[in-house]
């Protein structure tokens, strides 16, 4: 089958509207995540031409797959990836790496809720480090939350709510909690202070990962003004709260602070009317996964996470197996 790869900015809005509608349904049904307003912003970027992307089309012009991406501080960030076959995946990844945007990138990060066949293999073959994030869900009803609630008063002991001036302190804590660079990490992959500040600022202000629930967040200070533990909670939909970040200073670990922060967040989210708490955890993060399992979280879905440098050889790689590609993004 011949597959054409075209710039999505030249496509009809109606074709994209169907693509977004499918994703809105999938994110809502499988993750409880209300993404409608994010797709509005993405469509705006596509229409005004600032958000590049690719469509894979069959000979009749039907959409077989699509992806979009942007360049930020030299990092090509993939925003989504939909494909129905390994051939379509290959075509889109080839198009992505051959794009003008990729030619200007030093590195790539991928973080996608996708079932695209062959994506992991394609990204690995481009020299990227590939990992998996698990999407965990905890229904905020039943015995686990009842136990959390019965400990509720002690849980919030020595914890304080989030304050608007906490961005800098949290960025500093994350930098020691996640030491160094990690290409698979979808946030602050280089681990620089600027990346951490920007990441926390986005969580708190930008709404890309839900809207901040300041009253469900909790902060622990080991000395006044020095944050040594934090749980940051957002709301993804009226029913769904999300632990967007959890971190404890390495010097304070192994004494139950992480669990107390998670319990405090769950109790507060339930008090705010949410019926479930969700979060994303990297598969390799055994400590955090054990903590979440003990607190009642169970796996619901998986995300692909990848990153690494773009080498010139990889950039130019083209698959001759596919039909004419006209990508120029
Ligand atoms: C994950 C993280 C927040 C855990 O923080 P923590 O304060 O060490 O968590 P806890 O103390 O509640 O639990 C950790 C371990 O200590 C044990 N523990 C808890 N209280 C204890 C106590 N009083 N005495 C001995 N051990 C104890 C727990 O049983 C758990 O052990 P286990 O993994 O063998 O089950 C921390 O490791 C961290 O910041 N990691 C880096 C950031 C990160 O990965 N965040 C999660 C993102 S999804």
């Amino acid at each position: 089958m011949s597959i054409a790869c075209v710039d999505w900015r030249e496509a009809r809005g109606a074709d994209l509207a169907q693509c977004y509608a499918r994703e809105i349904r999938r994110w809502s049904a499988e993750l409880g995540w209300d993404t409608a307003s994010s797709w509005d912003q993405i469509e705006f970027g596509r229409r005004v031409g600032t958000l590049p992307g690719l469509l894979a089309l069959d000979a009749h012009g039907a959409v077989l797959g699509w992806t979009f991406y942007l360049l930020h501080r030299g990092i090509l960030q993939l925003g989504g990836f939909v494909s129905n076959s390994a051939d379509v995946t290959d075509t889109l990844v080839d198009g992505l790496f051959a794009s003008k945007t990729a030619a200007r990138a030093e590195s790539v990060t991928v973080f996608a809720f996708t079932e695209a066949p062959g994506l992991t293999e394609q990204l690995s073959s481009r020299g990227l480090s590939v990992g998996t994030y698990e999407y965990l869900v905890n229904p905020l009803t039943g015995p686990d939350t009842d136990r959390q609630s019965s400990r509720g008063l002690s849980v919030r002991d020595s914890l304080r709510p989030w304050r608007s001036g906490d961005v800098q302190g949290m960025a500093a804590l994350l930098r020691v909690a996640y030491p160094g660079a990690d290409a698979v990490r979808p946030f602050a992959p280089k681990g620089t202070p600027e990346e951490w500040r920007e990441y926390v600022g986005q969580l708190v202000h930008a709404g890309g990962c839900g809207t901040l629930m300041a009253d469900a967040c909790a902060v622990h200070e080991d000395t006044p003004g020095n944050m040594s533990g934090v749980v940051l909670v957002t709301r993804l939909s009226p029913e769904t709260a999300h632990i967007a970040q959890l971190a404890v200073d390495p010097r304070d670990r192994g004494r139950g602070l992480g669990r107390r922060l998670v319990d405090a967040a769950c109790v507060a989210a339930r008090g705010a009317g949410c019926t479930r708490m969700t979060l994303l955890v990297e598969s390799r993060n055994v400590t955090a996964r054990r903590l979440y399992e003990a607190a009642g979280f169970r796996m619901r879905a998986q995300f692909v996470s990848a990153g690494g440098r773009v080498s010139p050889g990889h950039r130019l790689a083209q698959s001759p197996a596919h039909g004419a590609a006209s990508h120029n993004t």
Side-chain angles (χ1 to χ4, degrees):
M1 178 176 52
S2 106
I3 303 167
C5 188
V6 301
D7 186 334
W8 83 334
R9 290 170 292 192
E10 286 154 22
R12 292 183 318 147
D15 287 341
L16 270 309
Q18 285 182 14
C19 295
Y20 303 147
R22 267 197 298 275
E23 287 301 287
I24 289 170
R25 280 196 298 274
R26 200 168 69 90
W27 281 73
S28 169
E30 295 181 37
L31 309 179
W33 199 313
D34 179 2
T35 55
S37 61
S38 302
W39 295 110
D40 288 345
Q41 285 172 22
I42 289 161
E43 173 58 10
F44 179 78
R46 184 193 77 86
R47 244 189 0 251
V48 300
T50 52
L51 187 60
L54 298 167
L55 292 182
L57 304 175
D58 72 9
H60 307 288
V63 178
L64 303 171
W66 50 285
T67 183
F68 60 93
Y69 41 89
L70 55 82
L71 189 65
H72 181 64
R73 293 183 196 260
I75 303 174
L76 178 71
Q77 299 175 340
L78 199 91
F81 199 98
V82 176
S83 153
N84 65 0
S85 76
D87 282 348
V88 170
T89 300
D90 291 359
T91 304
L92 288 172
V93 175
D94 285 348
L96 172 72
F97 276 78
S99 67
K100 281 185 183 166
T101 311
R104 290 187 285 131
E106 288 161 27
S107 57
V108 183
T109 63
V110 176
F111 192 69
F113 175 44
T114 178
E115 286 147 5
L119 181 61
T120 299
E121 295 75 6
Q122 257 289 344
L123 297 174
S124 302
S125 76
R126 302 286 175 159
L128 301 188
S129 309
V130 186
T132 308
Y133 271 71
E134 301 183 354
Y135 192 75
L136 309 185
V137 178
N138 187 356
L140 295 178
T141 50
D144 284 319
T145 319
D146 289 342
R147 265 196 299 279
Q148 282 159 348
S149 291
S150 68
R151 297 204 312 241
L153 285 177
S154 64
V155 154
R156 281 207 91 91
D157 255 5
S158 79
L159 302 181
R160 68 159 174 82
W162 176 263
R163 295 183 195 137
S164 56
D166 277 332
V167 170
Q168 180 66 35
M170 178 166 169
L173 171 58
L174 293 186
R175 191 155 173 249
V176 292
Y178 295 93
D182 181 351
V184 173
R185 196 168 59 214
F187 43 90
K190 293 182 198 155
T192 61
E194 299 74 42
E195 273 189 344
W196 284 116
R197 262 199 309 276
E198 185 173 292
Y199 165 65
V200 178
Q202 276 170 357
L203 285 182
V204 172
H205 302 297
C209 191
T211 316
L212 186 74
M213 288 179 79
D215 292 343
C217 301
V219 168
H220 182 268
E221 294 183 335
D222 53 2
T223 53
N226 188 50
M227 193 186 292
S228 56
V230 67
V231 61
L232 197 100
V233 184
T234 58
R235 196 188 273 268
L236 302 179
S237 73
E239 303 78 32
T240 311
H242 182 70
I243 293 184
Q245 192 52 257
L246 167 75
V248 170
D249 188 303
R251 290 168 301 187
D252 292 311
R253 290 187 189 162
R255 282 179 275 174
L257 177 55
R259 178 62 193 267
R260 274 200 297 141
L261 289 164
V262 169
D263 285 352
C266 289
V267 170
R270 183 154 92 160
C274 294
T275 54
R276 58 182 167 177
M277 180 68 92
T278 65
L279 58 87
L280 281 153
V281 58
E282 202 201 339
S283 307
R284 291 178 303 176
N285 193 344
V286 178
T287 310
R289 280 176 48 209
R290 253 205 313 256
L291 188 163
Y292 295 137
E293 178 157 355
F297 286 83
R298 298 292 175 263
M299 187 167 81
R300 170 66 67 86
Q302 289 193 321
F303 280 57
V304 173
S305 184
R309 298 196 69 76
V310 182
S311 72
H314 288 133
R315 236 185 249 162
L316 296 172
Q318 290 276 356
S319 166
H322 301 114
S326 59
H327 33 72
N328 193 28
T329 51

